[in-house]
Amino acid sequence: MRPWAIGRHGQPDVFIALLWVAWLGLVASPVSPEPLEPPPESPEGADYAAEPADSLDGGLFELGLGASGRAGGEIQRRRRVRFADDELRGTVREGRGDPLAGGSVEGRSGSGDLTLGRLAPRWGRGLLVGSPADPWQRTPTDRGPRATFRGRAGEGALYRHGDREGVELLAGRFARRDLAGLKLWRSGLALGLLAGTTGEVQGSLSRADSADASEWAWDLSGRWRVEGLAERNVGQWVISVRARGGHQGFRSLAEPLRSGPARALAVGGSGPAPWGRAGAVAALWRFRSGRAGARLALEGQFVGRDRAVVAWGVEEQHGLRREVPSWSAPFRQGAWGEWRRAARPLRLSLRHEMWGERAWARGVTRAVTTVRLEASAPAGIGLAATHSVFHSKRGESLYLPEGEIDRLVLRAVSGEGERSRFEARVPIAGGRISAALELATAAAGRKPSRWSVDFTRRGGKRGSRSATSRNDSDPPPL
């Protein structure tokens, strides 16, 4: 693996020099995330669906009915129920072929909290239970109580009692194993144990406070991992350093596919800049001999007086991002830019992303340009149109994010083509109907159109701010 600042012929790479100039004096910011990718356990080149971890206000319930399909294909139906009260809340989904089918119920049990059904806990830094973050990220987006998305690590029961000191009990099926876990903590120091029915045992010792966190995990074979995170305020900037080390053969019993690299080092920072916000991350990692990687990335945002937002990012990658990829270029440079402006009743955004296997992002391996227009009409009606033009080299995975009323879908595309998506939301019968039609073409010709329809209605106690009133007065963005 070559150092970041060394080009193919042993001379400093001009692209990297410009990155460091931007880091020292220009504006950057991690306001818009890097291109989204499915987690490691998801099959490469397949669509991936994630459920937002939003919650209802107390005393509300939500009912949803949906259907989707392709032209000339089978119709797939799905249903969901969400409810929330002072002592009980939960979500239940069902539908053949729905990747989010299942659910969970959370409630008070004595002096603790009990969760039954789908589980995605995270202890400490995630080395034992949960998921350690990728070296270039601070935390995973779908593990732990503060995650952006509801994860699907396993199914079972989780009981938690206490705040500054307490106990957590875990029993369920994870990674095709029946596991039981115990976590004890006091004043930021926690001890965790995880055991399987065939005699496997793993443990961890973790510590966390307002600025630092660390965890040491081990198994009975003597394999171990350790990770530490430190954050400090330097003026108005937040600087973080994260390091990981240990045995390359260590695998979590709960989530072996998310164990990540055995060794990693990452440094990042974010804060205000003269005309916006700034941020950067530099990371090195190593799975095992011959499988390592590195990344340097800068991202930025500028907000104009007319409320227009300009965001951008540039980065360089070396080596592998995943331990077992089907294919990966040993060297990549990429850049993306995004412009968006909201001036009711219209919202307009434009984004372009490009990656190349040679310096200055030449030898394009994948590129995508997307334009989106949203409009708010009277009576709570919302309309949107999105058009994407994409290109990906053979063996490259490209995912286009697609927001539906109850999920985020990363749609896998390949080769060359275009995709247009038209959406509409209309209040009706005290709820809302959301419909979408997708038209796609590829080099081989037009693909079957894809469609979806969903009806959602909320209700609750008298006096609660139900989604019915919100649907009629202030429709959310499509």
Side-chain angles (χ1 to χ4, degrees):
M1 180 179 66
R2 302 188 310 275
W4 287 311
I6 302 301
R8 291 181 178 273
H9 302 290
Q11 300 299 323
D13 194 319
V14 178
F15 186 81
I16 292 302
L18 292 178
L19 290 185
W20 283 111
V21 171
W23 165 244
L24 293 173
L26 299 181
V27 52
S29 168
V31 292
S32 183
E34 66 174 283
L36 296 173
E37 294 182 354
E41 69 270 17
S42 176
E44 190 171 355
D47 295 348
Y48 177 77
E51 178 185 359
D54 60 335
S55 59
L56 296 174
D57 295 332
L60 293 180
F61 68 88
E62 179 184 271
L63 303 177
L65 299 173
S68 61
R70 292 179 177 270
E74 182 181 2
I75 297 177
Q76 295 183 330
R77 297 175 176 83
R78 60 195 187 211
R79 295 178 288 184
R80 68 183 182 278
V81 177
R82 296 202 301 164
F83 57 91
D85 209 333
D86 296 336
E87 297 293 331
L88 190 67
R89 65 177 60 239
T91 301
V92 179
R93 297 170 178 267
E94 65 175 15
R96 188 175 65 176
D98 186 355
L100 301 182
S104 63
V105 176
E106 305 173 24
R108 298 289 296 178
S109 178
S111 58
D113 298 315
L114 178 65
T115 301
L116 300 174
R118 186 174 56 197
L119 302 174
R122 188 168 188 255
W123 294 355
R125 299 298 303 162
L127 299 179
L128 182 64
V129 173
S131 172
D134 287 327
W136 54 90
Q137 295 177 327
R138 188 182 187 280
T139 57
T141 59
D142 60 348
R143 295 293 186 268
R146 298 181 181 85
T148 305
F149 299 100
R150 300 181 193 275
R152 303 179 64 87
E155 293 189 355
L158 176 68
Y159 176 78
R160 179 184 176 90
H161 170 75
D163 185 14
R164 289 186 56 83
E165 59 181 51
V167 60
E168 186 168 302
L169 301 175
L170 171 68
R173 188 163 182 83
F174 294 76
R176 301 181 180 179
R177 292 189 180 100
D178 293 324
L179 300 176
L182 168 67
K183 178 184 175 183
L184 303 171
W185 72 90
R186 182 175 183 179
S187 301
L189 187 64
L191 174 66
L193 295 173
L194 190 65
T197 57
T198 57
E200 313 102 317
V201 177
Q202 292 182 337
S204 76
L205 185 65
S206 60
R207 179 182 178 275
D209 56 29
S210 59
D212 302 324
S214 59
E215 182 179 15
W216 171 43
W218 68 90
D219 61 24
L220 295 182
S221 300
R223 293 168 293 194
W224 55 275
R225 290 274 177 94
V226 62
E227 178 176 310
L229 168 70
E231 291 185 339
R232 295 293 183 270
N233 292 323
V234 180
Q236 294 181 297
W237 278 65
V238 178
I239 306 298
S240 64
V241 178
R242 185 155 61 96
R244 183 188 307 165
H247 197 282
Q248 65 185 29
F250 179 86
R251 295 289 184 276
S252 164
L253 291 175
E255 299 201 58
L257 296 179
R258 286 207 180 187
S259 295
R263 300 175 184 176
L265 176 64
V267 180
S270 63
W275 57 85
R277 291 188 59 83
V281 61
L284 297 164
W285 60 90
R286 181 178 184 271
F287 294 100
R288 58 180 183 271
S289 178
R291 290 192 172 271
R295 178 176 181 250
L296 172 65
L298 306 173
E299 296 180 337
Q301 175 182 273
F302 167 74
V303 180
R305 294 182 180 179
D306 59 353
R307 298 175 61 189
V309 178
V310 178
W312 58 266
V314 290
E315 72 175 76
E316 179 169 312
Q317 298 177 8
H318 294 256
L320 305 175
R321 290 167 62 98
R322 304 298 182 195
E323 185 173 11
V324 189
S326 59
W327 183 89
S328 180
F331 172 84
R332 291 182 183 179
Q333 284 184 353
W336 60 265
E338 182 176 323
W339 175 90
R340 57 185 182 271
R341 186 172 186 269
R344 292 182 68 91
L346 298 178
R347 300 182 184 93
L348 179 63
S349 65
L350 174 66
R351 180 184 175 99
H352 178 70
E353 172 194 341
M354 181 175 66
W355 291 86
E357 58 186 357
R358 298 199 302 273
W360 299 100
R362 293 173 299 171
V364 176
T365 58
R366 65 182 185 185
V368 58
T369 302
T370 299
V371 60
R372 179 174 175 84
L373 176 64
E374 302 178 36
S376 299
I381 297 175
L383 303 172
T386 307
H387 184 72
S388 299
V389 180
F390 57 87
H391 162 80
S392 64
K393 187 177 179 180
R394 184 176 182 180
E396 280 279 341
S397 296
L398 178 61
Y399 298 90
L400 302 181
E402 184 177 290
E404 298 186 6
I405 192 142
D406 67 328
R407 66 191 64 200
L408 171 69
V409 179
L410 301 183
R411 194 72 69 189
V413 297
S414 60
E416 296 185 3
E418 301 182 19
R419 189 189 69 156
S420 298
R421 180 178 171 84
F422 305 95
E423 303 166 75
R425 292 185 183 176
V426 180
I428 188 172
R432 179 184 295 276
I433 286 184
S434 301
L437 174 65
E438 178 187 313
L439 305 176
T441 59
R446 184 175 297 275
K447 294 184 176 181
S449 59
R450 187 196 305 265
W451 60 270
S452 65
V453 178
D454 190 283
F455 173 75
T456 302
R457 180 171 181 175
R458 288 185 182 179
K461 297 177 181 178
R462 185 179 300 274
S464 297
R465 186 176 183 268
S466 71
T468 302
S469 61
R470 183 171 66 243
N471 285 345
D472 294 336
S473 61
D474 186 18
L478 286 168

